[in-house]
Amino acid sequence: VQLQASGGGLVQPGGSLRLSCAASGSIFSTKIMGWYRQAPGKQRELVAAITNGGSTNYADAVKGRFTISRDNAKNTVYLQMNSLKPEDTAVYYCLIEGRSTWYSPFSDYWGQGTQVTVSS
């Protein structure tokens, strides 16, 4: 299973970006999908997560500005980021909890990371 993240870039404060992360390979089912971020000199932190039932959880710093969604048929997770701030600058990583067969245990799969820079 491989994850391909895209959508990062340079944006001015107040702008928007939409990140996408698509899983390819043999995936039988998935559970939680999420986005993490890591700024220079800081630990990786959870940004948002979504269950296969659609329940969501957000970090306090992004509540009301970011929206996570998923397309189960495409094994893809999205992160719509609005009203971006300089402190949102980080490398964003996607995570998908999935398994390749019905009898396999669930594993965490990570994307390669996509840079988001918020600056004027």
Side-chain angles (χ1 to χ4, degrees):
V1 177
Q2 292 184 330
L3 304 188
Q4 181 66 46
S6 61
L10 173 64
V11 64
Q12 292 186 342
S16 298
L17 285 174
R18 188 187 192 219
L19 305 183
S20 299
C21 178
S24 61
S26 178
I27 299 178
F28 177 77
S29 62
T30 60
K31 291 202 294 187
I32 295 174
M33 295 184 177
W35 289 93
Y36 287 71
R37 67 185 181 186
Q38 187 167 19
K42 295 187 177 181
Q43 290 187 332
R44 189 174 296 189
E45 62 177 1
L46 174 68
V47 176
I50 184 169
T51 68
N52 52 8
S55 296
T56 58
N57 184 53
Y58 295 93
D60 288 343
V62 307
K63 283 180 181 177
R65 300 187 297 121
F66 291 10
T67 302
I68 190 171
S69 60
R70 60 189 285 168
D71 184 332
N72 291 329
K74 296 181 179 179
N75 290 320
T76 300
V77 59
Y78 306 96
L79 185 67
Q80 178 66 43
M81 305 185 293
N82 299 328
S83 302
L84 283 160
K85 305 175 181 181
E87 50 264 43
D88 295 317
T89 295
V91 177
Y92 284 70
Y93 298 90
C94 56
L95 167 70
I96 292 180
E97 183 183 18
R99 58 180 175 173
S100 56
T101 67
W102 65 268
Y103 51 85
S104 301
F106 281 90
S107 298
D108 291 342
Y109 299 99
W110 288 91
Q112 82 282 11
T114 183
Q115 177 71 46
V116 172
T117 302
V118 185
S119 175
S120 55

